[in-house]
Short mmCIF file of all heavy atoms in Angstrom, two decimals:
data_model
loop_
_atom_site.label_atom_id
_atom_site.label_comp_id
_atom_site.label_asym_id
_atom_site.label_seq_id
_atom_site.Cartn_x
_atom_site.Cartn_y
_atom_site.Cartn_z
N PHE A 114 138.15 35.88 121.77
CA PHE A 114 137.94 36.62 120.52
C PHE A 114 136.52 36.40 120.01
O PHE A 114 135.97 35.31 120.10
CB PHE A 114 138.92 36.16 119.43
CG PHE A 114 140.35 36.51 119.68
CD1 PHE A 114 140.75 37.14 120.85
CD2 PHE A 114 141.31 36.20 118.73
CE1 PHE A 114 142.09 37.46 121.06
CE2 PHE A 114 142.65 36.51 118.93
CZ PHE A 114 143.03 37.14 120.11
N GLU A 115 135.97 37.47 119.45
CA GLU A 115 134.71 37.32 118.75
C GLU A 115 135.01 36.59 117.45
O GLU A 115 136.06 36.81 116.85
CB GLU A 115 134.15 38.72 118.47
CG GLU A 115 132.65 38.75 118.44
CD GLU A 115 132.15 40.17 118.24
OE1 GLU A 115 132.73 41.09 118.87
OE2 GLU A 115 131.23 40.34 117.45
N LYS A 116 134.11 35.74 117.01
CA LYS A 116 134.33 34.98 115.76
C LYS A 116 135.68 34.27 115.78
O LYS A 116 136.44 34.31 114.80
CB LYS A 116 134.25 35.92 114.55
CG LYS A 116 132.87 36.54 114.38
CD LYS A 116 132.57 36.76 112.91
CE LYS A 116 131.08 36.58 112.66
NZ LYS A 116 130.69 36.72 111.28
N ARG A 117 135.99 33.64 116.89
CA ARG A 117 137.32 33.04 117.04
C ARG A 117 137.59 31.92 116.05
O ARG A 117 138.74 31.62 115.75
CB ARG A 117 137.50 32.54 118.47
CG ARG A 117 136.42 31.56 118.91
CD ARG A 117 136.64 31.07 120.32
NE ARG A 117 135.60 30.13 120.68
CZ ARG A 117 134.65 30.38 121.58
NH1 ARG A 117 134.62 31.55 122.19
NH2 ARG A 117 133.74 29.47 121.85
N GLU A 118 136.54 31.28 115.51
CA GLU A 118 136.77 30.19 114.55
C GLU A 118 137.18 30.71 113.18
O GLU A 118 137.61 29.95 112.32
CB GLU A 118 135.49 29.35 114.36
CG GLU A 118 135.03 28.66 115.62
CD GLU A 118 134.05 29.52 116.43
OE1 GLU A 118 133.78 30.67 116.04
OE2 GLU A 118 133.56 29.01 117.46
N PHE A 119 137.02 32.04 112.97
CA PHE A 119 137.27 32.61 111.65
C PHE A 119 138.59 33.36 111.54
O PHE A 119 138.88 33.98 110.53
CB PHE A 119 136.12 33.56 111.27
CG PHE A 119 134.81 32.86 111.06
CD1 PHE A 119 133.94 32.66 112.13
CD2 PHE A 119 134.45 32.39 109.81
CE1 PHE A 119 132.73 32.01 111.94
CE2 PHE A 119 133.24 31.74 109.61
CZ PHE A 119 132.38 31.54 110.68
N MET A 120 139.41 33.31 112.61
CA MET A 120 140.65 34.10 112.61
C MET A 120 141.58 33.73 111.45
O MET A 120 142.13 34.59 110.78
CB MET A 120 141.40 33.94 113.94
CG MET A 120 140.63 34.35 115.20
SD MET A 120 139.82 35.98 115.08
CE MET A 120 141.25 37.04 115.10
N LEU A 121 141.74 32.43 111.21
CA LEU A 121 142.64 32.01 110.14
C LEU A 121 142.07 32.38 108.77
O LEU A 121 142.80 32.84 107.89
CB LEU A 121 142.91 30.49 110.22
CG LEU A 121 143.94 29.96 109.21
CD1 LEU A 121 145.28 30.66 109.34
CD2 LEU A 121 144.13 28.45 109.36
N LYS A 122 140.78 32.20 108.62
CA LYS A 122 140.13 32.57 107.35
C LYS A 122 140.40 34.04 107.02
O LYS A 122 140.82 34.39 105.92
CB LYS A 122 138.63 32.30 107.45
CG LYS A 122 137.85 32.56 106.16
CD LYS A 122 136.38 32.28 106.38
CE LYS A 122 135.53 32.77 105.22
NZ LYS A 122 135.64 31.87 104.04
N HIS A 123 140.20 34.92 108.02
CA HIS A 123 140.44 36.36 107.80
C HIS A 123 141.92 36.64 107.55
O HIS A 123 142.27 37.49 106.74
CB HIS A 123 139.93 37.18 109.00
CG HIS A 123 138.45 37.08 109.17
ND1 HIS A 123 137.57 37.01 108.11
CD2 HIS A 123 137.68 37.04 110.30
CE1 HIS A 123 136.32 36.93 108.57
NE2 HIS A 123 136.37 36.94 109.88
N THR A 124 142.78 35.90 108.26
CA THR A 124 144.22 36.08 108.09
C THR A 124 144.66 35.77 106.66
O THR A 124 145.53 36.45 106.10
CB THR A 124 144.98 35.15 109.08
OG1 THR A 124 144.63 35.53 110.41
CG2 THR A 124 146.48 35.27 108.92
N LEU A 125 144.04 34.75 106.06
CA LEU A 125 144.45 34.30 104.72
C LEU A 125 143.81 35.09 103.59
O LEU A 125 144.28 35.01 102.45
CB LEU A 125 144.12 32.81 104.54
CG LEU A 125 144.85 31.83 105.47
CD1 LEU A 125 144.44 30.40 105.17
CD2 LEU A 125 146.37 31.99 105.36
N GLU A 126 142.76 35.83 103.89
CA GLU A 126 142.03 36.52 102.82
C GLU A 126 142.89 37.39 101.90
O GLU A 126 142.72 37.35 100.68
CB GLU A 126 140.85 37.32 103.39
CG GLU A 126 139.58 36.48 103.42
CD GLU A 126 138.50 37.00 104.33
OE1 GLU A 126 138.63 38.11 104.88
OE2 GLU A 126 137.49 36.28 104.49
N PRO A 127 143.87 38.16 102.44
CA PRO A 127 144.69 38.99 101.54
C PRO A 127 145.50 38.19 100.52
O PRO A 127 146.03 38.74 99.57
CB PRO A 127 145.63 39.75 102.49
CG PRO A 127 145.05 39.60 103.84
CD PRO A 127 144.23 38.36 103.84
N LEU A 128 145.62 36.86 100.72
CA LEU A 128 146.47 36.05 99.84
C LEU A 128 145.68 35.36 98.74
O LEU A 128 146.25 34.63 97.94
CB LEU A 128 147.17 34.97 100.67
CG LEU A 128 148.08 35.43 101.81
CD1 LEU A 128 148.61 34.22 102.56
CD2 LEU A 128 149.23 36.28 101.27
N SER A 129 144.37 35.59 98.69
CA SER A 129 143.52 34.72 97.87
C SER A 129 143.91 34.68 96.40
O SER A 129 143.62 33.72 95.71
CB SER A 129 142.06 35.09 98.03
OG SER A 129 141.86 36.38 97.46
N SER A 130 144.58 35.72 95.89
CA SER A 130 144.95 35.66 94.47
C SER A 130 146.45 35.50 94.27
O SER A 130 146.93 35.52 93.14
CB SER A 130 144.46 36.93 93.76
OG SER A 130 145.06 38.04 94.37
N GLU A 131 147.20 35.33 95.36
CA GLU A 131 148.67 35.27 95.23
C GLU A 131 149.21 33.85 95.06
O GLU A 131 150.36 33.67 94.67
CB GLU A 131 149.32 35.93 96.46
CG GLU A 131 149.06 37.43 96.49
CD GLU A 131 149.60 38.11 97.74
OE1 GLU A 131 150.61 37.63 98.29
OE2 GLU A 131 148.99 39.11 98.17
N TYR A 132 148.41 32.86 95.41
CA TYR A 132 148.85 31.46 95.30
C TYR A 132 147.80 30.64 94.60
O TYR A 132 146.62 30.97 94.63
CB TYR A 132 149.10 30.88 96.71
CG TYR A 132 150.26 31.51 97.41
CD1 TYR A 132 150.08 32.59 98.28
CD2 TYR A 132 151.57 31.05 97.21
CE1 TYR A 132 151.15 33.20 98.91
CE2 TYR A 132 152.65 31.65 97.83
CZ TYR A 132 152.44 32.72 98.69
OH TYR A 132 153.51 33.31 99.31
N ASP A 133 148.24 29.54 93.98
CA ASP A 133 147.29 28.59 93.41
C ASP A 133 146.74 27.67 94.49
O ASP A 133 145.56 27.36 94.52
CB ASP A 133 147.97 27.76 92.31
CG ASP A 133 148.48 28.64 91.17
OD1 ASP A 133 147.67 29.40 90.62
OD2 ASP A 133 149.69 28.58 90.85
N TYR A 134 147.64 27.24 95.37
CA TYR A 134 147.24 26.35 96.46
C TYR A 134 147.81 26.83 97.78
O TYR A 134 148.98 27.19 97.86
CB TYR A 134 147.74 24.90 96.20
CG TYR A 134 146.93 24.21 95.13
CD1 TYR A 134 147.30 24.30 93.80
CD2 TYR A 134 145.79 23.48 95.46
CE1 TYR A 134 146.54 23.70 92.80
CE2 TYR A 134 145.02 22.88 94.47
CZ TYR A 134 145.40 22.99 93.15
OH TYR A 134 144.64 22.40 92.18
N ILE A 135 146.96 26.81 98.80
CA ILE A 135 147.43 27.07 100.17
C ILE A 135 147.11 25.80 100.96
O ILE A 135 145.96 25.38 101.05
CB ILE A 135 146.70 28.28 100.79
CG1 ILE A 135 147.05 29.57 100.00
CG2 ILE A 135 147.09 28.44 102.27
CD1 ILE A 135 146.34 30.83 100.50
N LEU A 136 148.17 25.15 101.47
CA LEU A 136 147.98 23.93 102.25
C LEU A 136 148.16 24.26 103.72
O LEU A 136 149.05 25.03 104.08
CB LEU A 136 149.00 22.86 101.85
CG LEU A 136 149.05 22.44 100.38
CD1 LEU A 136 150.05 21.30 100.17
CD2 LEU A 136 147.68 22.00 99.88
#
Side-chain angles (χ1 to χ4, degrees):
F114 292 3
E115 210 176 318
K116 295 213 148 183
R117 56 179 181 249
E118 298 90 357
F119 293 89
M120 301 312 290
L121 185 57
K122 184 181 169 76
H123 295 324
T124 298
L125 297 181
E126 269 162 6
L128 301 176
S129 67
S130 60
E131 292 176 30
Y132 293 94
D133 299 306
Y134 286 89
I135 296 178
L136 303 184

